[in-house]
Amino acid sequence: NQLCCSLQKHKRCMKKFIVLLIVLPIIYVNFFSEKAQLDREVKRLCKIDGGITVYETVTLPAERFNKDGRIRILAKWLAKPDDEYFYIDGTHYIKRGNPDLVQYHSKVYRQSDEKLLGEIINYSRRGGDMPGPWHPSSFMCPKETNVDLEKQIFIKD
């Protein structure tokens, strides 16, 4: 009889131990890993200066927009003198490795006076996952992209 009770206690103990073996790594990865710390850093940086800032809106005739509601804007190094607008973008690695912490910064200018019309700053954590055959995860904020920036600057007449 005592042997039976001892085996039942042992089984319960083993179940608790197995649950701990499963739960503790999940808690670690979500709250204490470098990946989790960098996700918190992405959120913090995003609150400081992330997002879209529009300095001037430009109203253009509807025929200037393609079917996706966008106009043609080239990078400054590709823009020709007769292109009305250009963009400059940059990638700054705040931390390189696995995971990376990256700042993306894009600016849209009017060519005639080189006036800054708007800009977007995004922050991203890439990687930091357990090794495996899958693609690395990422976390980015804000969710807006360069397309959203263009749509806020350029308005259909």
Side-chain angles (χ1 to χ4, degrees):
N1 194 14
Q2 275 188 334
L3 181 61
C4 183
C5 276
S6 180
L7 283 173
Q8 287 176 341
K9 285 182 184 178
H10 180 71
K11 284 182 181 178
R12 274 186 263 144
C13 244
M14 285 305 292
K15 284 181 185 177
K16 288 179 183 177
F17 181 72
I18 290 170
V19 167
L20 276 176
L21 282 178
I22 294 169
V23 170
L24 286 177
I26 292 170
I27 290 171
Y28 172 78
V29 166
N30 286 313
F31 297 103
F32 303 108
S33 68
E34 186 176 15
K35 177 180 166 182
Q37 291 170 358
L38 287 182
D39 284 354
R40 288 191 294 274
E41 182 65 2
V42 165
K43 289 176 187 175
R44 185 187 77 78
L45 291 170
C46 211
K47 285 180 185 175
I48 294 170
D49 65 354
I52 292 175
T53 305
V54 174
Y55 302 106
E56 182 179 322
T57 58
V58 177
T59 304
L60 297 171
E63 59 268 9
R64 290 285 308 272
F65 294 83
N66 67 16
K67 62 179 170 61
D68 297 323
R70 297 183 66 193
I71 70 163
R72 181 178 162 265
I73 303 176
L74 298 174
K76 182 175 184 172
W77 63 276
L78 289 172
K80 294 175 179 50
D82 59 335
D83 287 323
E84 288 184 77
Y85 308 99
F86 65 86
Y87 72 87
I88 297 174
D89 61 0
T91 302
H92 171 67
Y93 284 84
I94 299 167
K95 181 199 172 296
R96 279 189 186 266
N98 186 15
D100 288 329
L101 177 59
V102 185
Q103 179 199 60
Y104 304 100
H105 194 172
S106 292
K107 299 175 182 180
V108 176
Y109 292 87
R110 180 175 38 238
Q111 180 131 275
S112 62
D113 57 2
E114 294 199 2
K115 179 171 185 189
L116 176 61
L117 301 176
E119 62 187 323
I120 182 169
I121 298 175
N122 299 90
Y123 290 94
S124 174
R125 184 266 315 150
R126 297 185 306 204
D129 306 293
M130 291 181 58
W134 44 81
H135 290 286
S137 67
S138 64
F139 174 71
M140 186 171 120
C141 92
K143 298 295 182 201
E144 291 92 5
T145 65
N146 293 3
V147 173
D148 299 307
L149 171 62
E150 289 175 24
K151 287 183 177 182
Q152 287 187 32
I153 293 172
F154 300 103
I155 301 166
K156 284 184 191 178
D157 188 16

